[in-house]
């Protein structure tokens, strides 16, 4: 008797899970069709569904899109497959509108999210656009449009290290760079006679020379 009840419970849970996934994917599809990407249920991170739709619009292959997202952001392939498959059934996906929606979502997040996520977004888009043909896809690459809207430019590792030495976020404006340099240069000036301060002062000067 007990094994039969247990089997029934397992089957019921499996059926509920399958129905839940179908309804969730239907909801994702409707969100994509309506251009509504705020407050998405079960989204790995803010903008994930919008990015999935954008990458799907580039590749036209939801399995390939899911593999790109998994390789860049991690998480299980099945999760990304469910999302990319859902948006693949959405009608009239407009790449420019998707980029604009994604930009709006990213701008609403905190600096920590932006610092960690934006480079990964461009990495995923770069993979999706690898075989881009402007005459077929019609228009500029989504990543180029996104860079324009976010005023984003890829930063080298050395530049990133330089910003870190000055205690700044990558892309900080010249005035912030000057202020940070003045403050740190005064704090670690060689006149203190400390070898560790001298070493730090040299790092500060090198970072400033690179960024100014």
């Amino acid at each position: 008797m007990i094994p039969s009840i247990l089997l029934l419970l397992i089957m019921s849970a499996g059926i509920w899970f399958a129905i839940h996934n179908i309804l969730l994917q239907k909801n994702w599809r409707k969100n994509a069709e309506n251009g509504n990407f705020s407050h998405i249920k079960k989204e790995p991170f803010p903008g994930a569904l919008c990015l999935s739709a954008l990458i799907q619009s580039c590749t036209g292959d939801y399995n390939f899109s899911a593999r790109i997202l998994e390789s860049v952001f991690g998480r299980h392939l099945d999760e990304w497959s469910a999302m990319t498959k859902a948006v693949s059934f959405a009608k009239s996906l407009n790449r420019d509108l998707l980029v604009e929606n994604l930009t709006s979502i990213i701008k609403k997040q905190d600096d920590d999210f932006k610092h960690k996520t934006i480079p990964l977004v461009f990495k995923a888009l770069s993979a999706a656009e690898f075989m881009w043909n402007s005459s077929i896809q019609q228009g500029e690459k989504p990543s180029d449009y996104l860079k324009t809207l976010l005023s984003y430019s890829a930063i080298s590792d050395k530049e990133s290290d330089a910003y870190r030495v000055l205690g700044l976020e990558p892309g900080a404006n010249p005035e912030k760079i000057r202020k940070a340099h003045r403050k740190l240069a005064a704090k670690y000036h060689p006149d203190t006679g400390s070898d560790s301060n001298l070493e730090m002062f040299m790092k500060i000067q090198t970072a400033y020379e690179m960024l100014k």
Side-chain angles (χ1 to χ4, degrees):
M1 176 66 88
I2 294 177
S4 298
I5 294 174
L6 182 60
L7 180 61
L8 182 62
L9 288 173
I10 292 172
M11 290 176 63
S12 298
I15 293 170
W16 177 87
F17 184 74
I19 293 172
H20 173 74
N21 275 350
I22 291 171
L23 292 175
L24 184 60
Q25 288 185 47
K26 185 178 180 180
N27 183 261
W28 284 338
R29 178 180 59 77
K30 285 185 176 180
N31 284 127
E33 286 180 345
N34 297 331
N36 178 19
F37 294 99
S38 58
H39 308 296
I40 303 297
K41 295 179 180 179
K42 302 292 184 179
E43 198 174 27
F45 56 85
L49 181 66
C50 188
L51 179 61
S52 297
L54 186 55
I55 288 178
Q56 170 62 25
S57 74
C58 292
T59 67
D61 183 334
Y62 74 84
N63 283 317
F64 181 44
S65 298
R67 289 198 296 273
I68 289 173
L69 290 161
E70 182 200 32
S71 68
V72 175
F73 293 98
R75 302 178 71 89
H76 293 299
L77 180 62
D78 288 347
E79 295 179 69
W80 289 116
S81 293
M83 190 166 281
T84 55
K85 185 176 182 179
V87 297
S88 72
F89 289 109
K91 299 175 182 177
S92 304
L93 289 178
N94 183 299
R95 274 192 292 270
D96 286 348
L97 289 178
L98 289 171
V99 171
E100 289 160 11
N101 272 289
L102 184 58
T103 301
S104 176
I105 293 167
I106 290 173
K107 285 184 174 181
K108 291 176 182 177
Q109 309 310 310
D110 59 31
D111 289 340
D112 185 56
F113 176 91
K114 293 173 186 175
H115 180 68
K116 292 178 180 177
T117 309
I118 290 177
L120 297 179
V121 167
F122 281 104
K123 184 177 180 180
L125 283 174
S126 177
E129 296 168 349
F130 182 69
M131 297 297 288
W132 186 269
N133 185 323
S134 57
S135 63
I136 297 175
Q137 271 88 352
Q138 297 180 350
E140 67 177 336
K141 293 180 180 179
S143 60
D144 290 338
Y145 188 29
L146 186 62
K147 284 177 184 178
T148 300
L149 295 181
L150 290 175
S151 300
Y152 176 87
S153 59
I155 296 173
S156 70
D157 290 340
K158 287 185 178 181
E159 285 177 304
S160 182
D161 288 341
Y163 281 113
R164 195 176 300 111
V165 167
L166 296 180
L168 298 170
E169 288 293 324
N173 64 46
E175 182 59 28
K176 286 186 177 180
I177 292 171
R178 283 193 292 271
K179 285 182 178 179
H181 171 253
R182 282 198 300 268
K183 182 179 179 180
L184 292 172
K187 181 179 179 180
Y188 293 99
H189 198 278
D191 286 349
T192 60
S194 168
D195 289 340
S196 61
N197 274 15
L198 176 60
E199 183 180 351
M200 187 61 189
F201 181 80
M202 295 301 294
K203 286 182 179 179
I204 292 164
Q205 291 301 104
T206 301
Y208 178 64
E209 289 298 322
M210 174 176 288
L211 298 178
K212 75 174 185 178

